[in-house]
Short mmCIF file of all heavy atoms in Angstrom, two decimals:
data_model
loop_
_atom_site.label_atom_id
_atom_site.label_comp_id
_atom_site.label_asym_id
_atom_site.label_seq_id
_atom_site.Cartn_x
_atom_site.Cartn_y
_atom_site.Cartn_z
N ALA A 900 -1.08 12.78 -6.87
CA ALA A 900 -2.44 13.18 -7.24
C ALA A 900 -3.34 12.00 -7.62
O ALA A 900 -4.53 12.20 -7.86
CB ALA A 900 -2.40 14.16 -8.41
N HIS A 901 -2.78 10.80 -7.65
CA HIS A 901 -3.61 9.63 -7.97
C HIS A 901 -2.91 8.36 -7.49
O HIS A 901 -1.90 7.94 -8.04
CB HIS A 901 -3.86 9.51 -9.50
CG HIS A 901 -4.76 8.37 -9.86
ND1 HIS A 901 -5.99 8.56 -10.41
CD2 HIS A 901 -4.61 7.03 -9.74
CE1 HIS A 901 -6.57 7.39 -10.67
NE2 HIS A 901 -5.74 6.43 -10.25
N GLY A 902 -3.42 7.78 -6.40
CA GLY A 902 -2.87 6.55 -5.90
C GLY A 902 -3.92 5.74 -5.19
O GLY A 902 -5.11 6.14 -5.10
N HIS A 903 -3.52 4.61 -4.67
CA HIS A 903 -4.42 3.70 -3.96
C HIS A 903 -3.71 3.25 -2.70
O HIS A 903 -2.87 2.35 -2.71
CB HIS A 903 -4.78 2.51 -4.85
CG HIS A 903 -5.29 2.90 -6.22
ND1 HIS A 903 -6.60 3.27 -6.42
CD2 HIS A 903 -4.66 3.04 -7.41
CE1 HIS A 903 -6.76 3.59 -7.71
NE2 HIS A 903 -5.59 3.47 -8.31
N VAL A 904 -4.03 3.93 -1.60
CA VAL A 904 -3.28 3.74 -0.36
C VAL A 904 -3.35 2.31 0.13
O VAL A 904 -2.33 1.67 0.42
CB VAL A 904 -3.78 4.71 0.73
CG1 VAL A 904 -3.08 4.45 2.05
CG2 VAL A 904 -3.55 6.16 0.28
N MET A 905 -4.55 1.77 0.22
CA MET A 905 -4.68 0.39 0.73
C MET A 905 -4.11 -0.63 -0.28
O MET A 905 -3.62 -1.68 0.13
CB MET A 905 -6.15 0.09 1.03
CG MET A 905 -6.67 0.73 2.30
SD MET A 905 -5.74 0.18 3.77
CE MET A 905 -6.71 1.01 5.05
N GLY A 906 -4.19 -0.32 -1.54
CA GLY A 906 -3.56 -1.18 -2.53
C GLY A 906 -2.09 -1.31 -2.27
O GLY A 906 -1.50 -2.41 -2.35
N LEU A 907 -1.43 -0.21 -1.93
CA LEU A 907 -0.01 -0.25 -1.58
C LEU A 907 0.21 -1.06 -0.31
O LEU A 907 1.12 -1.90 -0.26
CB LEU A 907 0.52 1.17 -1.41
CG LEU A 907 1.93 1.32 -0.82
CD1 LEU A 907 2.95 0.62 -1.71
CD2 LEU A 907 2.29 2.78 -0.63
N GLY A 908 -0.63 -0.83 0.67
CA GLY A 908 -0.47 -1.56 1.92
C GLY A 908 -0.58 -3.04 1.76
O GLY A 908 0.23 -3.82 2.29
N PHE A 909 -1.58 -3.47 1.01
CA PHE A 909 -1.73 -4.91 0.81
C PHE A 909 -0.65 -5.48 -0.12
O PHE A 909 -0.28 -6.65 0.01
CB PHE A 909 -3.13 -5.24 0.28
CG PHE A 909 -4.17 -5.26 1.37
CD1 PHE A 909 -5.10 -4.23 1.52
CD2 PHE A 909 -4.18 -6.28 2.32
CE1 PHE A 909 -6.04 -4.25 2.53
CE2 PHE A 909 -5.11 -6.30 3.35
CZ PHE A 909 -6.03 -5.26 3.46
N GLN A 910 -0.14 -4.66 -1.03
CA GLN A 910 1.01 -5.11 -1.82
C GLN A 910 2.18 -5.42 -0.92
O GLN A 910 2.93 -6.41 -1.13
CB GLN A 910 1.42 -4.03 -2.83
CG GLN A 910 2.58 -4.45 -3.71
CD GLN A 910 3.07 -3.30 -4.58
OE1 GLN A 910 3.37 -2.21 -4.11
NE2 GLN A 910 3.11 -3.53 -5.88
N LEU A 911 2.38 -4.62 0.11
CA LEU A 911 3.49 -4.82 1.05
C LEU A 911 3.23 -6.00 2.00
O LEU A 911 4.17 -6.56 2.57
CB LEU A 911 3.72 -3.56 1.87
CG LEU A 911 4.18 -2.33 1.06
CD1 LEU A 911 4.15 -1.08 1.92
CD2 LEU A 911 5.58 -2.57 0.51
N MET A 912 1.95 -6.40 2.15
CA MET A 912 1.59 -7.50 3.05
C MET A 912 1.53 -8.85 2.34
O MET A 912 1.82 -9.89 2.94
CB MET A 912 0.24 -7.22 3.69
CG MET A 912 0.23 -6.20 4.78
SD MET A 912 -1.44 -5.79 5.36
CE MET A 912 -2.03 -7.39 5.95
N LEU A 913 1.06 -8.86 1.10
CA LEU A 913 0.73 -10.09 0.41
C LEU A 913 1.74 -10.39 -0.72
O LEU A 913 2.78 -9.76 -0.83
CB LEU A 913 -0.69 -9.99 -0.13
CG LEU A 913 -1.78 -9.73 0.93
CD1 LEU A 913 -3.13 -9.51 0.27
CD2 LEU A 913 -1.84 -10.91 1.91
N LEU A 914 1.42 -11.37 -1.54
CA LEU A 914 2.29 -11.80 -2.61
C LEU A 914 2.39 -10.71 -3.68
O LEU A 914 1.39 -10.28 -4.24
CB LEU A 914 1.74 -13.09 -3.23
CG LEU A 914 2.50 -13.68 -4.44
CD1 LEU A 914 3.93 -13.99 -4.09
CD2 LEU A 914 1.75 -14.91 -4.95
N ASP A 915 3.59 -10.28 -3.97
CA ASP A 915 3.84 -9.20 -4.92
C ASP A 915 4.66 -9.74 -6.09
O ASP A 915 5.81 -10.10 -5.95
CB ASP A 915 4.58 -8.05 -4.23
CG ASP A 915 4.90 -6.91 -5.16
OD1 ASP A 915 4.34 -6.85 -6.28
OD2 ASP A 915 5.72 -6.05 -4.76
N LEU A 916 4.03 -9.75 -7.27
CA LEU A 916 4.67 -10.28 -8.47
C LEU A 916 5.19 -9.17 -9.40
O LEU A 916 5.60 -9.46 -10.51
CB LEU A 916 3.70 -11.15 -9.25
CG LEU A 916 3.14 -12.37 -8.52
CD1 LEU A 916 2.07 -13.07 -9.37
CD2 LEU A 916 4.25 -13.36 -8.18
N SER A 917 5.20 -7.93 -8.93
CA SER A 917 5.48 -6.82 -9.83
C SER A 917 6.89 -6.80 -10.37
O SER A 917 7.16 -6.19 -11.42
CB SER A 917 5.17 -5.49 -9.12
OG SER A 917 5.97 -5.33 -7.97
N GLU A 918 7.84 -7.45 -9.70
CA GLU A 918 9.21 -7.45 -10.18
C GLU A 918 9.56 -8.71 -10.99
O GLU A 918 10.68 -8.85 -11.46
CB GLU A 918 10.18 -7.33 -8.99
CG GLU A 918 10.06 -6.02 -8.23
CD GLU A 918 10.33 -4.80 -9.11
OE1 GLU A 918 11.29 -4.87 -9.91
OE2 GLU A 918 9.59 -3.82 -9.00
N THR A 919 8.62 -9.62 -11.16
CA THR A 919 8.92 -10.84 -11.88
C THR A 919 9.11 -10.53 -13.38
O THR A 919 8.40 -9.72 -13.96
CB THR A 919 7.80 -11.89 -11.71
OG1 THR A 919 6.56 -11.35 -12.14
CG2 THR A 919 7.70 -12.32 -10.28
N GLN A 920 10.04 -11.24 -13.98
CA GLN A 920 10.40 -11.01 -15.37
C GLN A 920 9.90 -12.08 -16.33
O GLN A 920 10.06 -11.95 -17.54
CB GLN A 920 11.94 -10.92 -15.51
CG GLN A 920 12.57 -9.83 -14.65
CD GLN A 920 12.12 -8.44 -15.04
OE1 GLN A 920 12.04 -8.11 -16.23
NE2 GLN A 920 11.84 -7.59 -14.04
N SER A 921 9.32 -13.14 -15.79
CA SER A 921 8.84 -14.24 -16.65
C SER A 921 7.74 -14.99 -15.93
O SER A 921 7.60 -14.91 -14.70
CB SER A 921 9.99 -15.20 -17.01
OG SER A 921 10.42 -15.87 -15.84
N LEU A 922 6.97 -15.75 -16.68
CA LEU A 922 5.95 -16.62 -16.09
C LEU A 922 6.61 -17.61 -15.15
O LEU A 922 6.10 -17.87 -14.04
CB LEU A 922 5.16 -17.33 -17.17
CG LEU A 922 4.17 -18.39 -16.70
CD1 LEU A 922 3.10 -17.80 -15.78
CD2 LEU A 922 3.51 -19.10 -17.90
N ALA A 923 7.72 -18.19 -15.56
CA ALA A 923 8.38 -19.19 -14.72
C ALA A 923 8.82 -18.59 -13.39
O ALA A 923 8.69 -19.25 -12.33
CB ALA A 923 9.59 -19.75 -15.47
N GLU A 924 9.33 -17.36 -13.40
CA GLU A 924 9.75 -16.71 -12.15
C GLU A 924 8.53 -16.46 -11.25
O GLU A 924 8.57 -16.66 -10.05
CB GLU A 924 10.44 -15.38 -12.47
CG GLU A 924 10.99 -14.70 -11.23
CD GLU A 924 11.65 -13.36 -11.54
OE1 GLU A 924 11.90 -13.08 -12.74
OE2 GLU A 924 11.95 -12.62 -10.58
N ALA A 925 7.41 -16.04 -11.89
CA ALA A 925 6.17 -15.84 -11.11
C ALA A 925 5.69 -17.14 -10.51
O ALA A 925 5.28 -17.19 -9.33
CB ALA A 925 5.11 -15.23 -12.02
N GLN A 926 5.70 -18.20 -11.29
CA GLN A 926 5.26 -19.51 -10.78
C GLN A 926 6.10 -19.95 -9.58
O GLN A 926 5.59 -20.49 -8.60
CB GLN A 926 5.32 -20.55 -11.89
CG GLN A 926 4.24 -20.39 -12.94
CD GLN A 926 4.42 -21.37 -14.09
OE1 GLN A 926 5.53 -21.48 -14.66
NE2 GLN A 926 3.36 -22.08 -14.45
N ALA A 927 7.42 -19.71 -9.68
CA ALA A 927 8.30 -20.10 -8.57
C ALA A 927 7.97 -19.29 -7.31
O ALA A 927 7.94 -19.85 -6.19
CB ALA A 927 9.75 -19.88 -8.97
N MET A 928 7.67 -18.01 -7.47
CA MET A 928 7.32 -17.17 -6.32
C MET A 928 5.99 -17.61 -5.70
O MET A 928 5.85 -17.67 -4.48
CB MET A 928 7.21 -15.71 -6.73
CG MET A 928 8.54 -14.99 -6.87
SD MET A 928 8.31 -13.17 -7.03
CE MET A 928 7.71 -12.77 -5.40
N ILE A 929 5.04 -17.94 -6.56
CA ILE A 929 3.73 -18.39 -6.07
C ILE A 929 3.86 -19.71 -5.31
O ILE A 929 3.31 -19.88 -4.23
CB ILE A 929 2.75 -18.53 -7.25
CG1 ILE A 929 2.50 -17.17 -7.91
CG2 ILE A 929 1.42 -19.13 -6.78
CD1 ILE A 929 1.91 -17.25 -9.31
N ARG A 930 4.62 -20.63 -5.86
CA ARG A 930 4.81 -21.93 -5.21
C ARG A 930 5.48 -21.74 -3.84
O ARG A 930 5.04 -22.32 -2.83
CB ARG A 930 5.69 -22.85 -6.08
CG ARG A 930 5.93 -24.23 -5.48
CD ARG A 930 7.00 -25.00 -6.24
NE ARG A 930 6.59 -25.34 -7.58
CZ ARG A 930 7.11 -24.83 -8.71
NH1 ARG A 930 8.07 -23.91 -8.62
NH2 ARG A 930 6.68 -25.21 -9.88
N ASP A 931 6.50 -20.89 -3.79
CA ASP A 931 7.24 -20.66 -2.56
C ASP A 931 6.36 -19.97 -1.53
O ASP A 931 6.36 -20.33 -0.35
CB ASP A 931 8.48 -19.82 -2.86
CG ASP A 931 9.35 -19.60 -1.64
OD1 ASP A 931 9.81 -20.59 -1.07
OD2 ASP A 931 9.56 -18.43 -1.25
N TYR A 932 5.59 -18.98 -1.94
CA TYR A 932 4.70 -18.24 -1.03
C TYR A 932 3.66 -19.18 -0.44
O TYR A 932 3.36 -19.12 0.76
CB TYR A 932 4.04 -17.08 -1.79
CG TYR A 932 3.18 -16.18 -0.94
CD1 TYR A 932 3.74 -15.12 -0.25
CD2 TYR A 932 1.81 -16.40 -0.85
CE1 TYR A 932 2.94 -14.27 0.52
CE2 TYR A 932 1.00 -15.55 -0.07
CZ TYR A 932 1.58 -14.50 0.62
OH TYR A 932 0.79 -13.66 1.38
N ALA A 933 3.07 -20.02 -1.29
CA ALA A 933 2.06 -20.96 -0.80
C ALA A 933 2.66 -21.94 0.22
O ALA A 933 2.03 -22.27 1.22
CB ALA A 933 1.44 -21.73 -1.98
N ALA A 934 3.87 -22.39 -0.05
CA ALA A 934 4.51 -23.33 0.85
C ALA A 934 4.82 -22.68 2.21
O ALA A 934 4.74 -23.34 3.26
CB ALA A 934 5.80 -23.85 0.23
N LYS A 935 5.15 -21.39 2.19
CA LYS A 935 5.50 -20.69 3.42
C LYS A 935 4.28 -20.22 4.21
O LYS A 935 4.40 -19.80 5.37
CB LYS A 935 6.39 -19.49 3.12
CG LYS A 935 7.80 -19.87 2.65
CD LYS A 935 8.61 -18.64 2.33
CE LYS A 935 10.05 -19.01 1.92
NZ LYS A 935 10.84 -17.82 1.55
N ASN A 936 3.10 -20.27 3.58
CA ASN A 936 1.89 -19.80 4.21
C ASN A 936 0.77 -20.86 4.13
O ASN A 936 -0.27 -20.64 3.53
CB ASN A 936 1.42 -18.50 3.57
CG ASN A 936 2.40 -17.34 3.78
OD1 ASN A 936 2.39 -16.69 4.82
ND2 ASN A 936 3.24 -17.12 2.78
N PRO A 937 1.01 -22.02 4.75
CA PRO A 937 0.04 -23.12 4.62
C PRO A 937 -1.30 -22.83 5.30
O PRO A 937 -2.30 -23.48 4.99
CB PRO A 937 0.76 -24.30 5.31
CG PRO A 937 1.70 -23.65 6.27
CD PRO A 937 2.16 -22.40 5.59
N GLU A 938 -1.32 -21.83 6.22
CA GLU A 938 -2.56 -21.53 6.94
C GLU A 938 -3.52 -20.68 6.13
O GLU A 938 -4.70 -20.54 6.50
CB GLU A 938 -2.23 -20.84 8.27
CG GLU A 938 -1.86 -19.37 8.15
CD GLU A 938 -0.50 -19.08 7.55
OE1 GLU A 938 0.25 -20.04 7.28
OE2 GLU A 938 -0.19 -17.90 7.33
N MET A 939 -3.05 -20.07 5.06
CA MET A 939 -3.90 -19.17 4.28
C MET A 939 -4.91 -19.97 3.45
O MET A 939 -4.52 -20.83 2.65
CB MET A 939 -3.06 -18.31 3.35
CG MET A 939 -2.27 -17.22 4.03
SD MET A 939 -1.43 -16.15 2.85
CE MET A 939 -0.80 -14.87 3.94
N PRO A 940 -6.23 -19.68 3.59
CA PRO A 940 -7.21 -20.42 2.82
C PRO A 940 -7.15 -20.09 1.33
O PRO A 940 -7.47 -20.93 0.51
CB PRO A 940 -8.55 -19.99 3.44
CG PRO A 940 -8.27 -18.67 4.08
CD PRO A 940 -6.85 -18.72 4.55
N TRP A 941 -6.77 -18.85 1.01
CA TRP A 941 -6.58 -18.43 -0.37
C TRP A 941 -5.17 -17.82 -0.49
O TRP A 941 -4.69 -17.20 0.44
CB TRP A 941 -7.58 -17.35 -0.78
CG TRP A 941 -8.98 -17.83 -1.11
CD1 TRP A 941 -9.81 -18.57 -0.32
CD2 TRP A 941 -9.70 -17.54 -2.29
NE1 TRP A 941 -11.00 -18.79 -0.94
CE2 TRP A 941 -10.98 -18.14 -2.18
CE3 TRP A 941 -9.42 -16.83 -3.47
CZ2 TRP A 941 -11.93 -18.07 -3.17
CZ3 TRP A 941 -10.40 -16.73 -4.46
CH2 TRP A 941 -11.64 -17.35 -4.31
N ILE A 942 -4.57 -18.01 -1.64
CA ILE A 942 -3.32 -17.31 -1.97
C ILE A 942 -3.72 -16.08 -2.79
O ILE A 942 -4.24 -16.19 -3.91
CB ILE A 942 -2.35 -18.20 -2.77
CG1 ILE A 942 -2.02 -19.46 -2.00
CG2 ILE A 942 -1.11 -17.42 -3.14
CD1 ILE A 942 -1.39 -19.23 -0.65
#
């Protein structure tokens, strides 16, 4: 009865930090994602 369809779709496409348990874990994911996607103008 209440959701965001495109929000889910883009979560599945882009960087998803919802399972991270600490700032350090999030930073590691962000660093890795940026390194794997050098063509993206924005992360």
Side-chain angles (χ1 to χ4, degrees):
H901 183 115
H903 308 278
V904 175
M905 285 299 185
L907 171 60
F909 280 107
Q910 180 187 54
L911 295 170
M912 284 173 61
L913 301 174
L914 177 60
D915 179 14
L916 300 174
S917 60
E918 296 300 318
T919 57
Q920 302 296 318
S921 67
L922 173 60
E924 184 181 349
Q926 287 174 311
M928 281 192 68
I929 296 163
R930 181 191 294 111
D931 183 60
Y932 184 86
K935 290 179 178 177
N936 295 277
E938 78 288 354
M939 288 185 172
W941 283 55
I942 302 301

